[in-house]
Amino acid sequence: MGKKIKTILAFFSVIAMVGCSQVQGGRMESRKIVKNTKAEKDTVMPENNEVKLPSFYPNDSVFNETVSVKAGKIFMVGKTNPTTGFDWEMKVETADSTILRFDKSFDVTPVEESRPMMCGAPSLRRYEFITEKPGVAKITFEYKRPWGNQEPEATVVYNITITE
């Protein structure tokens, strides 16, 4: 039964890719990620009350960051490619849920005005967290497909100490 479900999910992934390519006029080439654009600066650069942690990518073989931050808002940016079925699954570990909590995530991929976003192209996602009081937290991201029992393609760990 499990193999049948995997086959069905793979079939629907292919259908979604074909449908997406039709919406984009059949163009499936990779989209260039533009660096230092106004859109990227507005959404990726920290504001006055934010702390930006190091960014992460699916090809990071070892990513285990230990950081110390003051209570407030923190964020990190991860490269992902959900149109291929792979995405980051996140887990937050704390002794008390008020030490650090997930706030929101959203796409921050800069797009060239002359080229629409392409299916199958990588994107950037910003993950935001609120730190409310001193303590220790651990955020783990695993890059994998949500179905099946396969091992993650990459694992990213942030060990965070929150101070006042």
Side-chain angles (χ1 to χ4, degrees):
M1 182 68 173
K3 192 171 187 176
K4 187 175 183 179
I5 290 173
K6 288 180 185 179
T7 303
I8 290 169
L9 288 171
F11 173 76
F12 283 116
S13 293
V14 169
I15 296 297
M17 288 296 291
V18 169
C20 191
S21 71
Q22 297 302 316
V23 169
Q24 299 295 338
R27 293 176 35 200
M28 292 295 287
E29 74 267 10
S30 296
R31 178 173 40 91
K32 178 181 171 188
I33 301 292
V34 180
K35 295 290 181 193
N36 299 323
T37 64
K38 182 180 182 324
E40 185 176 65
K41 287 180 183 175
D42 291 346
T43 56
V44 177
M45 299 304 293
E47 295 176 5
N48 292 337
N49 61 343
E50 295 180 323
V51 174
K52 181 183 184 301
L53 300 184
S55 299
F56 56 93
Y57 304 91
N59 58 350
D60 287 334
S61 58
V62 177
F63 189 104
N64 192 337
E65 288 288 320
T66 300
V67 295
S68 181
V69 298
K70 291 186 177 184
K73 191 174 196 179
I74 62 172
F75 74 94
M76 66 280 295
V77 177
K79 187 175 182 180
T80 184
N81 200 341
T83 59
T84 62
F86 282 91
D87 207 353
W88 293 102
E89 286 185 15
M90 176 188 54
K91 181 171 72 171
V92 177
E93 299 174 50
T94 62
D96 176 357
S97 63
T98 61
I99 293 173
L100 179 135
R101 67 179 168 78
F102 174 70
D103 186 29
K104 61 186 171 186
S105 69
F106 52 93
D107 188 71
V108 293
T109 308
V111 179
E112 293 178 59
E113 291 181 23
S114 62
R115 296 178 67 184
M117 194 164 178
M118 297 292 133
C119 291
S123 60
L124 299 174
R125 183 170 301 141
R126 177 177 162 137
Y127 298 88
E128 295 184 358
F129 298 84
I130 306 286
T131 62
E132 298 178 348
K133 66 181 189 180
V136 177
K138 180 179 179 180
I139 304 170
T140 305
F141 291 92
E142 292 184 336
Y143 194 68
K144 62 184 184 178
R145 290 185 167 130
W147 63 86
N149 295 330
Q150 73 273 18
E151 292 294 313
E153 295 287 318
T155 302
V156 169
V157 177
Y158 290 94
N159 299 294
I160 304 168
T161 302
I162 298 114
T163 61
E164 286 192 37

